[in-house]
Amino acid sequence: MKLETLLARDRTIRVIGFDDAPFVRRRSSSVSIVGVICAETRFEGMVWGKVRQDGWNATDTICQLLLGKKFLPQLHILLLDGIGFGGFNIIDLPKLADKLQIPCVTVMRRQPNMTKIETALQRLPQPHRRLELMRRAGKVHAYPPFFFQVCGEDPDVISAVLHRLSDRGHVPEALRLAHLIGAAVVKGESGSSA
């Protein structure tokens, strides 16, 4: 069922939110990623994977965690905490939405500073390819308190969905939980900022 219909009928929206766990910067090291499944704001399940720091496998890793597995048929939307995992392992958002056949959204706390991002990318191999992946994700939509890029759905619908998926504060619960769980597993305790 489409998100707009779920909203109109006040039906439960099932979401998966992905965040990377804390990591120490070491070239080519692996970084854990956490995907938390929620029925709106209620925790229902989790997936765990690894991506290469500043690598190229984040999109494929997320697809491997979901395609042919039990959670994907239940999901209505996928949220990402930003466009990059493990530093600048950039998600190919249109490819992800196409492969999973659900709307895919990168959520940010503020408008990205593209000048700083482009400067940081120059220190990595293939900076232009990474920047192109970021551009392919589309325009950053501002619907305060949310800033996001989306493939597969209308931004107005996504704004309404993000409000519905946020229990407290300005972060959808699935992303907040992914952040807390990733920190707890890696550091032994969750952090205060999610």
Side-chain angles (χ1 to χ4, degrees):
M1 194 175 291
K2 292 191 75 66
L3 287 170
E4 195 167 15
T5 306
L6 293 167
L7 287 168
R9 295 183 184 174
D10 199 26
R11 300 281 295 273
T12 299
I13 297 172
R14 283 195 163 69
V15 56
I16 186 166
F18 278 95
D19 196 4
D20 51 4
F23 62 97
V24 176
R25 291 205 166 274
R26 280 192 303 260
R27 188 175 298 265
S28 297
S29 64
S30 64
V31 176
S32 294
I33 62 169
V34 186
V36 169
I37 298 92
C38 288
E40 302 213 350
T41 60
R42 188 184 72 237
F43 178 86
E44 289 200 328
M46 189 174 86
V47 295
W48 188 275
K50 291 195 179 287
V51 298
R52 181 76 47 209
Q53 181 184 313
D54 297 324
W56 298 99
N57 66 337
T59 305
D60 291 337
T61 298
I62 290 173
C63 287
Q64 288 166 8
L65 291 171
L66 295 175
L67 287 171
K69 306 291 174 54
K70 70 177 185 177
F71 289 120
L72 184 58
Q74 305 167 28
L75 297 174
H76 300 112
I77 186 170
L78 180 144
L79 304 179
L80 303 164
D81 190 356
I83 191 84
F85 285 74
F88 286 106
N89 193 327
I90 307 296
I91 298 289
D92 186 335
L93 200 62
K95 177 181 175 182
L96 191 64
D98 182 59
K99 284 193 169 247
L100 300 179
Q101 292 295 294
I102 58 174
C104 293
V105 183
T106 66
V107 181
M108 296 155 263
R109 287 165 183 80
R110 64 190 68 84
Q111 278 281 4
N113 183 329
M114 289 309 293
T115 304
K116 284 186 177 180
I117 291 170
E118 287 181 37
T119 300
L121 288 176
Q122 295 307 313
R123 291 183 237 133
L124 298 170
Q126 303 184 55
H128 299 297
R129 181 178 168 202
R130 293 175 203 271
L131 193 56
E132 179 56 29
L133 284 173
M134 294 175 87
R135 288 187 177 131
R136 278 176 46 84
K139 174 185 175 185
V140 176
H141 301 280
Y143 287 75
F146 303 110
F147 298 89
F148 60 87
Q149 294 168 288
V150 58
C151 285
E153 188 52 87
D154 181 78
D156 290 334
V157 173
I158 295 302
S159 174
V161 168
L162 292 175
H163 279 92
R164 181 97 161 262
L165 300 177
S166 301
D167 185 23
R168 292 185 167 87
H170 306 307
V171 179
E173 190 67 4
L175 289 179
R176 192 181 80 81
L177 290 172
H179 179 85
L180 292 172
I181 291 167
V185 169
V186 170
K187 294 182 167 183
E189 63 183 356
S190 58
S192 59
S193 65

